[in-house]
Amino acid sequence: MDLNNENLKIAIQKKGRLSQPSGELLKAVGIEFDSSDGRLFARCRSYPLDILFLRDDDIPEYVQDGVTDLGIVGLNVVEEKGAKVSKLDFLGYGECELCVAVPKQGEMHSVFDLRGKRIATSYPRVLGKFLADRGLDARIIEISGSVEIAPGLDVADAICDLVSTGSTLRIHDLVPIEVVLKSEAVLIANQNSIADTRKSELIERLRTRLLSHLQAKRTKYVMMNAPEGALATIKEILPGMKSPTILPLAEKGMIAVHTAVPEEVFWDVIERLKGAGATDLLVVPVEKMVV
Ligand code: PRT
Ligand code: ZN
C-alpha cells in the first residue's frame, strides 16, 4: 500500500451495508476513485485523498490512532468501541436503532422487567451503560452474530440488537420494548487532524461538499403562482431558509414565488400553500446547495 503523507486519508467500510452508499457519497461530491472489488486502498484523482477500505469494526480505532484522518462508520460502532474521535456530521444513511427486544408472548413489557434477566447482544458496552444509567441490574451475554436466536435457544431472556425494518425481530417472535441508541452513518475525525491547519482545511473543504450535497438531497425547490394579496400568508407558511424570490407575472395582480423547502415539511407546506391560494405548483429536485 503506497500511502502519501501529504494526502488526507479516509476509511470507509470495505464490504457491507455502508460500503456502497459511502462510496457513492464521495463520488457524488466529485471525489473520483477506482472502487473495483477487493481493493484495500484507492488514491483519488480529483482531491488529495486516499481511501482505505476496512471492516467497519476497525474504523473507529484507525481514526483514533491517526492511521486515517477521517472515517465513515455507523454511530453504533463508534459508541461501542468507545473511540476518542470527533463526530463531525451525520450522513443520512445506514439508519437503524439499537433496541432491546423481548419474546412476544413473554411477561416482560418494559425495561424495568429486565432486572435479573439475561440479555444477549453484540453491544455490551452501549447496553451496559444504558442499564447502569437506569440502575438496572441484568446479565449481559455477549454474542457476536445472530443475536435474535438467543431467546429461542434459551441462551438469553431478551436481546439488544440493531433493527431497521423490524422483520428479523418479527420472524423470531420478538418485539422491541426500548430504543437504546438511534444510529446512522457518521463522519468521524482524528482529533489531531482537525487541530492541524493544513489537514483541517482539507477536511473542511470536503465537509462543505458533503453537507451541500446532503442538504440538497433533503431539499426541494418549489415554484408557484399566487395572487399578490396572498403573499403575506405564503411567506408565513414558508420555512425560513431565506426570503423567497418574488417575480411579477404578465397577468396583473399575480406573482410567481420561488423557494427551497426542506423534505421533512414538504407535504405540510405544499398543502398549506394551496390553501393560501397558490396554484401551478412546480417542484424540482435540488442538485447541490452551497450556503
Ligand atoms: O464486515 P463488517 O464488520 O465490515 O460488517 P458488519 O457485518 O459488521 O456490518 P454490516 O455491513 O451488516 O452493517 C454496517 C452498519 O450498517 C452497522 O454497523 C449499522 O450502523 C448499519 N445498519 C443499518 C445495520 C442495519 N441497518 C441492520 N439492520 N446493521 C445491521 N443490521 C442487521 C441487524 O443486526 C439485524 O441482524 O440487520 C438485522 C435487522 O434488520 P431488519 O431490517 O430485519 O430489522
Ligand atoms: Zn462489523
Side-chain angles (χ1 to χ4, degrees):
M1 186 156 44
D2 174 28
L3 292 178
N4 177 341
N5 283 334
E6 292 301 304
N7 282 359
L8 206 60
K9 295 174 198 67
I10 188 168
I12 66 173
Q13 193 185 21
K14 181 171 164 56
K15 195 162 183 277
R17 288 168 197 261
L18 302 186
S19 8
Q20 195 187 346
S22 302
E24 280 172 2
L25 176 61
L26 293 176
K27 287 184 174 167
V29 299
I31 310 276
E32 291 165 22
F33 62 95
D34 183 359
S35 54
S36 49
D37 266 0
R39 285 179 146 254
L40 293 175
F41 163 76
R43 164 130 326 134
C44 301
R45 290 185 286 276
S46 51
Y47 203 82
L49 183 74
D50 289 347
I51 305 179
L52 268 75
F53 302 97
L54 301 174
R55 276 202 63 198
D56 67 348
D57 311 68
D58 296 332
I59 293 176
E61 210 172 306
Y62 269 54
V63 174
Q64 172 188 280
D65 298 347
V67 179
T68 64
D69 305 290
L70 296 170
I72 297 180
V73 66
L75 177 66
N76 50 305
V77 182
V78 180
E79 296 299 326
E80 183 57 30
K81 298 293 171 190
K84 290 193 178 55
V85 294
S86 297
K87 288 168 231 155
L88 299 183
D89 302 298
F90 288 102
L91 302 175
Y93 59 88
E95 286 114 328
C96 55
E97 292 179 338
L98 184 65
C99 287
V100 175
V102 297
K104 204 170 159 187
Q105 316 296 354
E107 76 280 6
M108 286 177 282
H109 304 289
S110 90
V111 281
F112 299 102
D113 300 326
L114 294 171
R115 286 200 173 91
K117 297 285 201 281
R118 300 162 302 167
I119 313 172
T121 190
S122 312
Y123 293 87
R125 182 192 178 100
V126 177
L127 176 62
K129 185 172 182 314
F130 171 87
L131 295 172
D133 287 350
R134 285 156 188 78
L136 294 168
D137 199 11
R139 210 171 113 211
I140 297 176
I141 313 276
E142 188 174 344
I143 293 183
S144 58
S146 302
V147 172
E148 62 280 356
I149 63 173
L153 298 175
D154 198 24
V155 174
D157 306 296
I159 68 162
C160 174
D161 198 13
L162 296 176
V163 179
S164 49
T165 62
S167 69
T168 305
L169 291 187
R170 276 194 296 278
I171 290 167
H172 292 86
D173 269 336
L174 297 165
V175 284
I177 54 168
E178 187 83 22
V179 176
V180 173
L181 177 76
K182 277 182 175 292
S183 181
E184 65 182 270
V186 59
L187 178 70
I188 55 172
N190 173 272
Q191 294 178 337
N192 295 328
S193 303
I194 45 179
D196 175 291
T197 318
R198 195 185 61 85
K199 283 186 171 171
S200 74
E201 196 205 305
L202 285 174
I203 293 173
E204 285 312 308
R205 272 176 56 205
L206 182 62
R207 285 181 74 196
T208 302
R209 293 190 187 191
L210 292 173
L211 296 180
S212 308
H213 176 76
L214 294 171
Q215 201 173 351
K217 266 191 10 186
R218 294 178 187 134
T219 307
K220 296 274 178 268
Y221 195 71
V222 179
M223 296 174 262
M224 72 205 88
N225 294 342
E228 228 167 338
L231 183 59
T233 321
I234 288 176
K235 272 186 170 171
E236 264 171 42
I237 295 168
L238 292 175
M241 272 214 10
K242 285 222 176 90
S243 48
T245 306
I246 319 283
L247 305 162
L249 289 182
E251 189 182 336
K252 214 173 160 2
M254 288 295 285
I255 49 168
V257 182
H258 295 190
T259 192
V261 177
E263 181 86 50
E264 66 269 19
V265 293
F266 176 75
W267 283 112
D268 179 52
V269 167
I270 293 294
E271 282 157 17
R272 290 170 63 205
L273 287 171
K274 282 191 77 180
T279 55
D280 308 306
L281 284 126
L282 198 67
V283 181
V284 289
V286 179
E287 174 62 31
K288 295 280 180 284
M289 226 171 115
V290 186
V291 287

